[in-house]
Amino acid sequence: MNEKNQSAEAKEDKKGKPRRTIDKYQLFRAAHVPGEGRVKPFLECLDKVVKHELYKFPLKLYLDTCAKCNNCATLCHITCDDQSNPHWLPAKRSDLLRKVYKRRYTLLGRLLGKLVGAEDLTEELVDEMYESFYRCTMCRRCALECPMGVDNSLITRIGRFCLSEAGMVPHNFKVSVDSQLKGPTRNTSAIPERAFLDTIEFLNEEMQEITGLPIEFPVNVKGAEILFVAPVSDYIMEADTLMGIAMTLYAAGASWTIATGAGSDSINYGVFYDDNWLRDIMLQLHDVVKDLGAKKLVIGECGHATKAQKVFAEYFGGKLDFEIKNIMEVTAQYIEEGRIKLDPSRNPDPVTLHDPCNLSRMGGLADTLRFVLRSAVSHFVEMEPHGNENYCCGGGGGTVGFEEIYDFRMEVGGRKKVQQLRETGAKIVAAPCANCKKQLRELVDYHGLNMEVAGIHDLVAKALVFDKAPGRKIEVVK
Amino acid sequence: MATIVSQVFPYLAILVFLVGAGYRIGVWATSPKKLNWKLYPVPEGLVGEASYIVGEWISFKMLFKNNRAIWLGSYVFHLSLVASAIWFLLLLLGVSAPWLSRLAAAGLFFSSIYLFVARLWIPQVRAISTPVEFFNLAIFIAMGGLGWSLTGRGLSGEMRRWVFSLAGFSPSVLPDEPVLIWFVFLVEFFIAYLPFSKMFHVASKYFAFHKSRWFNPYEVRG
């Protein structure tokens, strides 16, 4: 398409409506999202990415070798039971980037164009990509059994990256990342330090009232072995999980601290769409670890924050002089070493586990999650399928923060998870991930499931046996 | 036509194949691996990885488990290719196996038609298909059909002599039978085209699983 035509079409887009839609849902177009002039920056970004040492190998491999067998659609939580909308098929989504790649970088694509599935990038295609790449939750279940080993989530991620360079960023990401990197609070929820500390004080009082023990969140303690960093939203939404973690660390006699400022938030939305922000957010947190002299950076019950650190820390942060762990690994180690004691009979209700994709399939922690949960509850029910094969909750890839596609998450993205939850017959679903918990709570409400959603440490707290505990009954699962 | 297909195209096809295959494998093998993009389960050690990949090669279990209709066509198709390769090796060894050539050619012919129709018939597979997917299958339908029609015509000896003459760089000319010449031409085209097509996944699988999915470049290895 020539520039004149593109310009003419751009004029039709003044109201911010996409030129090409893929379903009845639509991402909110904030004022910062441009309606034209996106082709050039997108392609400039793609030019760099296909040569970049991180992506050159896997991206070319995945774009070159898809057999178009549609096996991925049978695995995806969106399309496994309903493939009526071709735009939701993982291979179709990846083709949006594949066709541009073929046209721009392959001999056959240059010579034969559409005959070999190659197309020039247009403004319409950019609009289609923007919607499509934000329907995918990048859970990587489709890659699990792709006969060619193609990983559509990486293609989605690169697509989002190039869109970001073209200014196409969902409102929620933009606001959160701006707040985390440029705002005075240095956290995604823009919680002022005073309010953050007040919340901590409240949680300390709660824990002391529940246990009768002097448990508290140590703040900015230099020289502590562990710097514990949760997604900052947990301090508002997942107080029980945080208190459970604090109680666990107290019971184990750990040397630990939390931090204020940039150290108060493990969220790294850059991992979902833009390596520049991913790097900056990560290094900002690493600076806090170094300032405090911690030996371990322990991420809370949060899948994407754990993935961001474990996958990218050594590349962007160089050789680290501290370890990176998820809190589930730490708690599992305490149980194994006998540093904490759990009484599973205190959690008699049937509990099932939702495996966060970032922790199990991508983090290799499926057994660790089960070990901790089974130690804390007396009636564990497996979801089917589970572990590495578990289905995404439908809110991964950052999409849980997009209220504008709430209906999609409830009606399409989350329907497989609802089916799975129903089949367990469990009263509680435990999910050690802030994003998953938000999505699961919304699914439970929307579909009227008789089920509570909890973090694993909510249940660990209830099962914890303190040596000097006054033996008060605690109800931490709300 | 018979002369050029017999004496020029074979070398050209092999040359293009070697350059193309060498380039693509070279890029996959030498490209830096900096992204720790693991996907679990991760098999333990080279033996674990090999058994995982070989198990998949033998059974196509990923398709079998999730996509039985495509598995059927794909499995027969690939078995037919393997049978064709075995027939060719036996030919070089001087062993005549007409039953195998019939089986391989018929298998290739029918499975390619099956996959072609499935690609047209199943809406979601059609939605992700481009003309080149149909073109690739059309080549196999033609090769399978022509190959099948050549079986039982006593051409094995001629073929064997021709192959050895190629190896000795003094190529003979194939009998001027249109079906045979078209068949050989298609095979030569396929050999040259293979490294530039997605069908080269026969070589990419190792890299997709071992290097991309399981290998952590930052892991300390003792």
Side-chain angles (χ1 to χ4, degrees):
Chain A
M1 175 168 296
N2 62 39
E3 285 180 11
K4 194 177 173 183
N5 283 347
Q6 282 186 20
S7 175
E9 284 179 0
K11 285 176 186 169
E12 297 168 9
D13 192 47
K14 290 293 182 192
K15 292 177 183 172
K17 287 183 182 172
R19 295 175 189 81
R20 199 180 283 174
T21 55
I22 60 168
D23 52 31
K24 65 180 180 179
Y25 313 98
Q26 190 195 321
L27 281 172
F28 169 64
R29 302 282 181 110
H32 68 264
V33 177
E36 57 188 290
R38 296 137 340 152
V39 170
K40 189 165 176 269
F42 185 105
L43 292 176
E44 284 172 356
C45 177
L46 190 58
D47 285 346
K48 289 176 190 162
V49 169
V50 294
K51 293 177 194 159
H52 194 278
E53 61 178 3
L54 267 182
Y55 302 114
K56 178 184 175 183
F57 162 68
L59 188 64
K60 283 174 78 71
L61 190 73
Y62 298 154
L63 291 173
D64 281 336
T65 57
C66 173
K68 306 288 182 73
C69 66
N70 203 41
N71 209 38
C72 43
T74 67
L75 295 153
C76 169
H77 59 283
I78 295 171
T79 51
C80 58
D81 292 331
D82 175 11
Q83 298 178 13
S84 57
N85 186 339
H87 297 287
W88 293 339
L89 301 173
K92 181 87 173 165
R93 178 180 299 112
S94 292
D95 270 356
L96 299 176
L97 191 65
R98 185 173 284 117
K99 60 177 80 171
V100 176
Y101 162 84
K102 281 188 172 181
R103 183 70 175 160
R104 200 164 172 82
Y105 309 108
T106 69
L107 180 64
L108 291 181
R110 283 195 197 106
L111 293 174
L112 301 172
K114 286 185 179 176
L115 290 174
V116 292
E119 275 183 48
D120 286 319
L121 183 64
T122 61
E123 295 289 347
E124 297 110 304
L125 193 50
V126 170
D127 278 336
E128 188 176 349
M129 285 181 180
Y130 186 58
E131 293 297 328
S132 187
F133 287 141
Y134 283 101
R135 297 292 185 278
C136 171
T137 59
M138 305 197 296
C139 75
R140 299 181 75 195
R141 194 172 195 276
C142 61
L144 200 60
E145 291 182 344
C146 170
M148 302 301 123
V150 171
D151 195 330
N152 292 298
S153 87
L154 189 77
I155 297 172
T156 289
R157 192 167 176 276
I158 297 303
R160 289 182 179 191
F161 187 14
C162 295
L163 286 169
S164 169
E165 292 295 294
M168 304 288 284
V169 181
H171 183 64
N172 182 54
F173 282 170
K174 168 100 176 121
V175 170
S176 300
V177 168
D178 280 354
S179 174
Q180 196 170 18
L181 285 173
K182 299 170 194 166
T185 65
R186 286 289 191 265
N187 65 65
T188 50
S189 297
I191 301 173
E193 184 167 317
R194 187 63 258 163
F196 180 74
L197 291 172
D198 283 349
T199 305
I200 298 298
E201 205 175 308
F202 170 75
L203 294 179
N204 289 343
E205 286 168 9
E206 277 284 297
M207 288 190 291
Q208 287 160 16
E209 194 182 319
I210 290 167
T211 65
L213 294 166
I215 304 174
E216 60 181 27
F217 287 86
V219 181
N220 294 332
V221 178
K222 289 214 172 202
E225 185 192 357
I226 291 171
L227 170 62
F228 171 72
V229 188
V232 77
S233 52
D234 274 11
Y235 288 92
I236 303 163
M237 315 226 341
E238 305 294 345
D240 293 331
T241 303
L242 287 178
M243 288 193 292
I245 290 168
M247 290 180 199
T248 301
L249 293 167
Y250 171 86
S255 160
W256 71 292
T257 186
I258 61 168
T260 53
S264 66
D265 195 357
S266 65
I267 287 174
N268 191 335
Y269 286 145
V271 80
F272 295 134
Y273 76 105
D274 193 314
D275 277 6
N276 297 316
W277 305 140
L278 164 67
R279 179 198 57 223
D280 291 353
I281 294 166
M282 173 176 290
L283 296 181
Q284 174 173 278
L285 182 54
H286 286 189
D287 285 344
V288 178
V289 182
K290 288 170 191 166
D291 283 349
L292 292 173
K295 299 283 181 287
K296 286 180 189 165
L297 170 61
V298 175
I299 306 295
E301 290 195 5
C302 184
H304 90 272
T306 304
K307 178 174 82 171
Q309 289 292 341
K310 290 203 172 195
V311 171
F312 292 99
E314 284 161 301
Y315 182 75
F316 288 122
K319 189 164 171 52
L320 305 174
D321 51 7
F322 56 87
E323 272 186 285
I324 295 169
K325 297 266 186 194
N326 178 271
I327 187 64
M328 300 308 306
E329 296 172 273
V330 175
T331 300
Q333 188 185 339
Y334 291 160
I335 296 169
E336 277 180 332
E337 292 173 353
R339 287 174 67 176
I340 58 171
K341 291 178 193 142
L342 300 176
D343 177 4
S345 68
R346 293 184 187 174
N347 287 307
D349 288 335
V351 179
T352 190
L353 172 65
H354 164 73
D355 286 89
C357 308
N358 286 314
L359 295 183
S360 291
R361 188 157 44 247
M362 293 180 239
L365 294 178
D367 291 340
T368 305
L369 307 184
R370 277 160 182 76
F371 172 66
V372 174
L373 189 56
R374 283 178 183 276
S375 302
V377 306
S378 56
H379 188 172
F380 176 67
V381 187
E382 275 289 18
M383 205 179 285
E384 294 300 338
H386 58 265
N388 299 324
E389 294 185 13
N390 194 30
Y391 284 102
C392 173
C393 61
T399 64
V400 77
F402 306 156
E403 290 308 310
E404 60 268 34
I405 54 167
Y406 169 82
D407 289 345
F408 176 82
R409 288 192 284 110
M410 296 300 106
E411 294 163 4
V412 182
R415 64 187 163 197
K416 192 67 187 176
K417 183 53 59 182
V418 169
Q419 182 191 332
Q420 278 190 295
L421 290 172
R422 279 206 175 103
E423 287 169 359
T424 64
K427 292 284 179 204
I428 298 168
V429 53
C433 170
N435 276 17
C436 297
K437 275 185 275 196
K438 180 174 184 288
Q439 167 77 356
L440 290 170
R441 284 206 181 93
E442 290 176 354
L443 285 174
V444 163
D445 288 345
Y446 187 91
H447 292 275
L449 302 183
N450 182 24
M451 191 174 264
E452 292 172 348
V453 180
I456 288 185
H457 280 86
D458 306 29
L459 300 161
V460 167
K462 210 173 161 189
L464 264 176
V465 179
F466 294 100
D467 288 340
K468 296 175 186 171
R472 286 187 57 182
K473 188 178 178 185
I474 55 176
E475 289 294 339
V476 291
V477 177
K478 300 273 181 2
Chain B
M1 180 75 172
T3 307
I4 198 165
V5 167
S6 303
Q7 297 184 318
V8 179
F9 283 177
Y11 296 111
L12 200 60
I14 290 169
L15 184 69
V16 173
F17 174 84
L18 289 176
V19 170
Y23 173 75
R24 285 191 82 179
I25 291 175
V27 167
W28 291 331
T30 59
S31 293
K33 165 67 172 131
K34 300 280 187 181
L35 185 66
N36 175 19
W37 202 240
K38 270 192 177 178
L39 189 66
Y40 291 82
V42 177
E44 283 192 19
L46 281 177
V47 174
E49 288 191 15
S51 63
Y52 187 100
I53 293 176
V54 171
E56 169 59 21
W57 271 342
I58 291 173
S59 65
F60 285 29
K61 62 187 173 194
M62 294 179 185
L63 274 178
F64 181 81
K65 185 175 164 191
N66 306 295
N67 203 347
R68 206 63 63 87
I70 297 294
W71 173 85
L72 179 65
S74 186
Y75 199 62
V76 174
F77 173 84
H78 285 87
L79 276 183
S80 303
L81 288 177
V82 172
S84 303
I86 293 172
W87 168 80
F88 184 70
L89 285 175
L90 290 175
L91 180 82
L92 296 183
L93 294 171
V95 179
S96 176
W99 60 273
L100 186 60
S101 64
R102 267 190 213 103
L103 196 68
L108 197 62
F109 180 66
F110 286 117
S111 62
S112 302
I113 290 175
Y114 176 91
L115 288 171
F116 194 100
V117 172
R119 202 166 272 288
L120 273 177
W121 190 261
I122 304 170
Q124 52 271 31
V125 181
R126 188 172 66 238
I128 57 173
S129 299
T130 57
V132 73
E133 271 83 41
F134 294 101
F135 175 73
N136 293 345
L137 286 168
I139 294 174
F140 284 108
I141 292 169
M143 283 198 294
L146 291 173
W148 195 12
S149 73
L150 286 168
T151 58
R153 291 169 62 170
L155 291 166
S156 295
E158 289 282 355
M159 288 293 289
R160 186 166 183 268
R161 276 190 291 280
W162 175 66
V163 172
F164 278 104
S165 75
L166 284 175
F169 293 102
S170 55
S172 59
V173 178
L174 286 162
D176 196 8
E177 288 201 38
V179 175
L180 177 65
I181 298 303
W182 273 107
F183 172 74
V184 173
F185 171 74
L186 278 177
V187 172
E188 289 164 351
F189 172 79
F190 172 71
I191 289 170
Y193 171 59
L194 180 63
F196 302 94
S197 75
K198 66 178 186 184
M199 292 183 285
F200 204 49
H201 57 239
V202 64
S204 70
K205 257 189 179 178
Y206 165 79
F207 296 102
F209 283 88
H210 167 74
K211 186 170 173 178
S212 187
R213 181 179 291 192
W214 295 328
F215 179 67
N216 175 5
Y218 303 101
E219 213 160 66
V220 179
R221 286 170 291 276

